[in-house]
Every structure is written in structure tokens, then in C-alpha cells.
């Protein structure tokens, strides 16, 4: 790796130290022209850049150092970085994005499925047997992880003894991505932050089409997949009813408008107090009937909207 390429990988460290960045979270946009009232910038280790979802800029470490120290030519920026990192090499945290290899987890999943009865993690979250079977959800006893296979090359897991959320090594994917690949204009796809939220929706409507992006930090992956698959259905964003969830909903809605994907944004849990619950799974546990009523009310309205819209396109008069 050339010295310049090496320095590019320092961006994460630089942002953490100088721009108060936390991994996988939005932080204040660095662009001096942009007054970023809600943090809209995110770092991606795939390209070692930070991108602002609001004003659209993308910066590498040379750009950022150039802005911070008012250095407008590359040579001065390079010298500054050398000075900042003189005798100090930051530890580059490897995340799954860096490793795009394919690993086959088929056998691991089989072992985990055999052990699923050794945990009651899913029962405690109101996820029934039929969904556990349908998705081949398993339990890794050694690591105390509930394992959600996404496809044979990728899984997502949650610790049963801590708050840890784990992504498999290698390329990561969206839960139920198939719904994006075979879309039609009558499709209504519910996007959630986490798999447990998607499963909670499936408990109240077994016919729902729901996908999960596994963390609000992955909205750009969703936008990429929608574009890539020429998605022509409608998205309902049902992220958590908390600060990061609300902010991510706004940003995602903006990105969807840019790529001409119709969307609605609805937590489905606004009738629950914010102190009572902020995600779909908690709502399911607190009051399943109320969550179901909220969902059915919203879903009916969206379906009616789609029907009207699609009929209009086909030139059918509706009375
Ligand atoms: Zn910006």
C-alpha cells in the first residue's frame, strides 16, 4: 500500500478524535457551506470517505484535513497528516465492510438450528415457533448468540448475555432482500432497523413484506439495492421512535425521493409513549392488539393510495 493509500485509512481515527464521530452514527457535516442542524454525515470504511446525506459532499482524509487546517493544496494536506501521525499509526478497526469475501455458513447454521431449544430469547420477545422455523433461526451455544441467517454467506446475531449485535465476516446483506429483487408497483415493503422488528411485524401480519437493514448506519446500502434492482414498489420506513431512528428516517426519505422511489414514514408506535416503548418489538410485547390496529389502519391507507395512484397511471377512472 502506498503512503497516500495508507493515510486514507486513517480517516476513521481522525474523525473519531477531531469530529466526535461514533462508529456507525451520523455526525455533524464538515462542509463549511452546510449548516447541518441534524447530524447528516456518515463515515464508510468501504471507501474510507465520509459522505453527507443532506448536502451530498464526500470527503477523504485529505479533504477533511484541508478544511480543518485551511490547506487547499494536496502537498500541504499530506504534510499535515504526516505531522499529525508522526510516529503514530492508528489501529484500523476491521469491520465486515472491509472484508468482502464470501464464506459459506450452511453447516454453521445447521448446528445452530439444532440448539435453538437451548435458549428462550425469541420466546421472550414474542417471536413464535413458526417464524423461527421459517427463517432457520438458531443458537450458537458456545458464543451465546441467537443466529439469524440472511443467506448462506451472511448472518446477523444477537448476544443472549449482553447487548452485543454481531455481523458475520464477509459480505453483509439486507434481511429478506428478495422483496427488493422481484418488486412490482403494487408492492408495499416495510423497512425496519432490526430483524426482530421485522419479525414483530410478521407476527401481526403473516403476509407482510418486510425487510431489515440491520442498523440505521446501513441506509446507503438499502438505497444502493433499490437503485440496483430498479425497485418500483413503495417503501414504508418504520424505524425506531428515538433520535437516531427519526433522523435516519428523514435522511432515507430524502434519498428515496432522489432516486424516485415512493415512500411513507411511520413508526407505527406513535400511540405508545416514547418512554413506554421506542421500537416495534417492545410495542408487540406491551400491547400486540394496539400495534396491530396501528398497522392495519396505516396499511389500509397506503394500499388505497397505491390503488388510486396505479389506476391513475393506467388511465382508469375511479368513482
Ligand atoms: Zn453536508
Amino acid at each position: 500500500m502506498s503512503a497516500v493509500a495508507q493515510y486514507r485509512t486513517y480517516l476513521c481515527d481522525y474523525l473519531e478524535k477531531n469530529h466526535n464521530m461514533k462508529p456507525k452514527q451520523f455526525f455533524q457535516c464538515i462542509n463549511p457551506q452546510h449548516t447541518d442542524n441534524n447530524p447528516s454525515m456518515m463515515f464508510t470504511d468501504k471507501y474510507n470517505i465520509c459522505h453527507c446525506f443532506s448536502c451530498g459532499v464526500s470527503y477523504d482524509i485529505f479533504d477533511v484535513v484541508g478544511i480543518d487546517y485551511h490547506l487547499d493544496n494536496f502537498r500541504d494536506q499530506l504534510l499535515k497528516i504526516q505531522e499529525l501521525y508522526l510516529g503514530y499509526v492508528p489501529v484500523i478497526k476491521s469491520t465486515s465492510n472491509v472484508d468482502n469475501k464470501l464464506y459459506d455458513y450452511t453447516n454453521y447454521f445447521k448446528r445452530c438450528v439444532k440448539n435453538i431449544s437451548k435458549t428462550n430469547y425469541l420466546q421472550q420477545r414474542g417471536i413464535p415457533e413458526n417464524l423461527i422455523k421459517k427463517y432457520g433461526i438458531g443458537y450458537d451455544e458456545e458464543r451465546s448468540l441467537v443466529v439469524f441467517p440472511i443467506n448462506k454467506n451472511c448472518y446477523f446475531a444477537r448476544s443472549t448475555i449482553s447487548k452485543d449485535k454481531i455481523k458475520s465476516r464477509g459480505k453483509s446483506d439486507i434481511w429478506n432482500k428478495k422483496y427488493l429483487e422481484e418488486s412490482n408497483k403494487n408492492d408495499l415493503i416495510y423497512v425496519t432497523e432490526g430483524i426482530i422488528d421485522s419479525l414483530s411485524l410478521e407476527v401481526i401480519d403473516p403476509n407482510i413484506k418486510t425487510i431489515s437493514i440491520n442498523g440505521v448506519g446501513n441506509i446507503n446500502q438499502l438505497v444502493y439495492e433499490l437503485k440496483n434492482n430498479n425497485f418500483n414498489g413503495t417503501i414504508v420506513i418504520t424505524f425506531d421512535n428515538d433520535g437516531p431512528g427519526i433522523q435516519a428516517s428523514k435522511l432515507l426519505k430524502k434519498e428515496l425521493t432522489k432516486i424516485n422511489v415512493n415512500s411513507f414514514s411511520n413508526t407505527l408506535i406513535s400511540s405508545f409513549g416514547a418512554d413506554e416503548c421506542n421500537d416495534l418489538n417492545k410495542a408487540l410485547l406491551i400491547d400486540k392488539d394496539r400495534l396491530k390496529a396501528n398497522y392495519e389502519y396505516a396499511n389500509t391507507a397506503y394500499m388505497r393510495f397505491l390503488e388510486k395512484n396505479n389506476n391513475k397511471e393506467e388511465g382508469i377512472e375511479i368513482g
Side-chain angles (χ1 to χ4, degrees):
M1 205 191 294
S2 73
V4 167
Q6 180 93 42
Y7 285 137
R8 280 186 209 283
T9 64
Y10 293 4
L11 179 61
C12 182
D13 180 78
Y14 181 85
L15 292 171
E16 282 177 347
K17 292 203 172 105
N18 300 284
H19 288 273
N20 201 21
M21 183 193 78
K22 306 247 162 23
K24 289 273 177 196
Q25 282 183 25
F26 294 104
F27 60 100
Q28 205 82 32
C29 178
I30 293 164
N31 180 0
Q33 317 291 328
H34 176 203
T35 312
D36 191 12
N37 295 320
N38 285 307
S40 310
M41 191 163 249
M42 185 165 281
F43 166 75
T44 163
D45 55 16
K46 196 167 175 184
Y47 308 108
N48 283 307
I49 55 157
C50 51
H51 174 73
C52 176
F53 284 90
S54 182
C55 73
V57 298
S58 293
Y59 296 141
D60 66 7
I61 190 167
F62 296 96
D63 302 318
V64 176
V65 166
I67 292 167
D68 287 353
Y69 293 91
H70 308 286
L71 305 170
D72 56 10
N73 73 75
F74 181 76
R75 207 192 122 73
D76 289 344
Q77 292 160 2
L78 179 60
L79 286 171
K80 189 72 196 172
I81 295 168
Q82 279 170 340
E83 181 198 315
L84 290 170
Y85 286 97
L86 193 67
Y88 167 68
V89 177
V91 179
I92 308 302
K93 291 167 204 121
S94 77
T95 69
S96 58
N97 280 345
V98 173
D99 177 1
N100 266 321
K101 275 186 234 149
L102 292 182
Y103 300 90
D104 190 330
Y105 294 108
T106 309
N107 290 326
Y108 174 64
F109 294 156
K110 277 186 196 155
R111 286 201 303 276
C112 291
V113 163
K114 279 192 193 137
N115 287 323
I116 189 64
S117 60
K118 292 181 183 164
T119 178
N120 62 356
Y121 181 92
L122 293 159
Q123 283 77 10
Q124 283 176 348
R125 277 154 190 80
I127 308 303
E129 202 65 34
N130 67 314
L131 289 181
I132 296 170
K133 277 222 173 76
K134 175 181 171 186
Y135 289 108
I137 301 166
Y139 181 57
D140 179 336
E141 202 179 2
E142 244 164 72
R143 298 196 289 162
S144 300
L145 294 175
V146 176
V147 176
F148 303 87
I150 291 177
N151 53 52
K152 72 175 172 133
N153 304 118
C154 158
Y155 65 85
F156 187 84
R158 293 183 74 140
S159 170
T160 56
I161 51 176
S162 74
K163 283 193 179 311
D164 283 355
K165 295 173 181 176
I166 286 156
K167 260 176 12 182
S168 50
R169 277 193 305 164
K171 197 178 169 295
S172 66
D173 239 324
I174 289 168
W175 170 261
N176 272 341
K177 197 175 87 176
K178 60 171 192 236
Y179 292 136
L180 305 181
E181 292 165 345
E182 43 192 51
S183 69
N184 71 64
K185 61 182 180 166
N186 294 315
D187 272 347
L188 200 54
I189 311 285
Y190 286 77
V191 183
T192 70
E193 280 188 29
I195 294 170
I196 300 256
D197 298 318
S198 278
L199 292 172
S200 303
L201 286 178
E202 207 168 327
V203 170
I204 56 168
D205 178 5
N207 296 314
I208 194 172
K209 290 182 174 175
T210 173
I211 64 173
S212 157
I213 60 169
N214 306 319
V216 288
N218 294 322
I219 60 177
N220 41 0
Q221 192 188 355
L222 172 63
V223 172
Y224 170 82
E225 292 292 347
L226 291 167
K227 246 193 311 199
N228 205 29
N229 288 295
N230 294 316
F231 181 80
N232 66 348
T234 294
I235 293 288
V236 185
I237 307 164
T238 55
F239 290 167
D240 293 356
N241 197 14
D242 56 17
I246 293 164
Q247 170 65 349
S249 301
K250 277 192 211 148
L251 295 175
L252 176 56
K253 195 146 195 351
K254 220 168 177 180
E255 290 296 304
L256 296 181
T257 308
K258 279 190 213 158
I259 60 167
N260 291 317
V261 169
N262 187 36
S263 69
F264 298 102
S265 177
N266 188 338
T267 64
L268 302 176
I269 55 173
S270 52
S271 75
F272 293 79
D275 49 336
E276 196 182 358
C277 90
N278 55 18
D279 69 47
L280 290 163
N281 185 245
K282 279 193 206 92
L284 178 77
L285 295 176
I286 291 170
D287 191 343
K288 182 178 169 180
D289 291 335
R290 178 146 49 121
L291 176 63
K292 191 169 182 190
N294 292 354
Y295 163 76
E296 280 171 356
Y297 180 81
N299 194 58
T300 306
Y302 297 147
M303 292 304 253
R304 204 168 291 151
F305 173 87
L306 283 193
E307 208 176 296
K308 237 177 178 171
N309 232 27
N310 292 339
N311 282 341
K312 221 186 291 167
E313 270 169 32
E314 283 156 16
I316 298 166
E317 286 284 328
I318 35 178

